[in-house]
Amino acid sequence: MAWSTRQLAELAGTTLRAIRHYHEVGLLAEPERRANGYKSYGVAHLVRVVRIKRLTGLGLSLAQIAELGDTDEHPEEALRNLDTELAATIERLQRTRAEIALILDRAVPTDLPSPLGEAVAGADVPESERSLAVVMAQVLGRPALDAYADTIRTYEPDPALTEFERLPADADEQTCQDLAERMRQAPAVKEMLAAFPSFQDLSADAPQGEDFARRALALAALDLYNPAQIDTLIRMNC
């Protein structure tokens, strides 16, 4: 009693294409042929195909199965390694699901990482500040971002900050100086200056280096703020 290729595929719950591929990559030995030239498969072939299907179903690749050789009946080491990889994948997926839940539940922006995104979502920060936060998230280290997020959580609108957002590009020097002095007294600015007394403190732990972070933030500021606003920020930090 022997089976044809189609019958073998049906018994194993796979496809003719899969059987042929196993032959091509050397995972399944070629069977003897009948007098009419058709392949003649036996139980050993079925066992082999079922084992391959089972191992691939668990997550091993055909290349990994090939490397197992005669140990594929119970490949303990390969399965333990696979289990470790799956555990890491599950952990990553759980973190991803938690982040998605946070985005959905609290309307956290998708362009900011947690906890910075959560802080921005819960505060009435100006659009320019929010955009700057995106740039900061790309270039600053985690300690700096966490500290920045803490300042955002307690952010409160202030008349001086509102005036800064509306400051025209042609504002004179005295206007910029007066506004800078009033901005220094805003609670949000006080907290920010306390956390980061200087630009160097903000970028000290930047993953790609301080110079890279400083250049990126400087270019972002030039793009987000007009000349008078830039002048005011410089005066505020002097």
Side-chain angles (χ1 to χ4, degrees), residues 99 102-103 106-126 128-155 192 196 202 217:
E99 189 168 355
L102 185 65
I103 291 172
R106 304 188 186 182
V108 174
T110 56
D111 49 17
L112 287 171
S114 299
L116 181 55
E118 186 177 1
V120 169
D124 185 22
V125 297
S128 59
E129 182 79 15
R130 184 196 177 289
S131 297
L132 186 61
V134 174
V135 180
M136 293 173 70
Q138 298 302 118
V139 299
L140 299 185
R142 189 57 185 260
L145 287 178
D146 287 345
Y148 178 64
D150 289 339
T151 67
I152 293 295
R153 287 191 185 90
T154 58
Y155 179 89
M192 182 68 70
F196 306 106
L202 183 65
L217 292 174

Side-chain angles (χ1 to χ4, degrees), residues 177-200:
Q177 181 63 39
D178 292 344
L179 179 56
E181 292 174 0
R182 282 185 285 118
M183 286 176 65
R184 285 198 199 98
Q185 303 307 313
V189 174
K190 280 186 174 181
E191 187 169 355
M192 182 68 70
L193 292 176
F196 306 106
S198 70
F199 200 51
Q200 286 74 15

Side-chain angles (χ1 to χ4, degrees), residues 3-96:
W3 299 303
S4 66
T5 307
R6 184 176 298 280
Q7 290 170 327
L8 177 66
E10 291 175 351
L11 283 168
T14 188
T15 64
L16 284 170
R17 183 177 180 180
I19 299 295
R20 291 167 182 154
H21 186 59
Y22 297 159
H23 283 310
E24 291 172 1
V25 297
L27 284 178
L28 183 63
E30 289 286 346
E32 294 182 358
R33 292 182 179 269
R34 303 171 187 172
N36 59 8
Y38 288 105
K39 293 178 180 179
S40 179
Y41 293 93
V43 174
H45 294 97
L46 176 62
V47 170
R48 180 63 174 160
V49 173
V50 169
R51 187 175 298 161
I52 293 170
K53 183 184 175 187
R54 174 66 168 158
L55 292 174
T56 55
L58 290 173
L60 292 179
S61 67
L62 295 182
Q64 289 174 312
I65 296 172
E67 291 176 359
L68 295 174
D70 296 334
T71 66
D72 61 1
E73 183 176 356
H74 186 67
E76 182 175 354
E77 183 179 356
L79 291 177
R80 289 191 184 280
N81 291 337
L82 178 61
D83 185 61
T84 300
E85 293 174 4
L86 290 174
T89 299
I90 290 171
E91 183 179 354
R92 178 181 59 79
L93 291 175
Q94 287 175 334
R95 290 197 305 268
T96 301

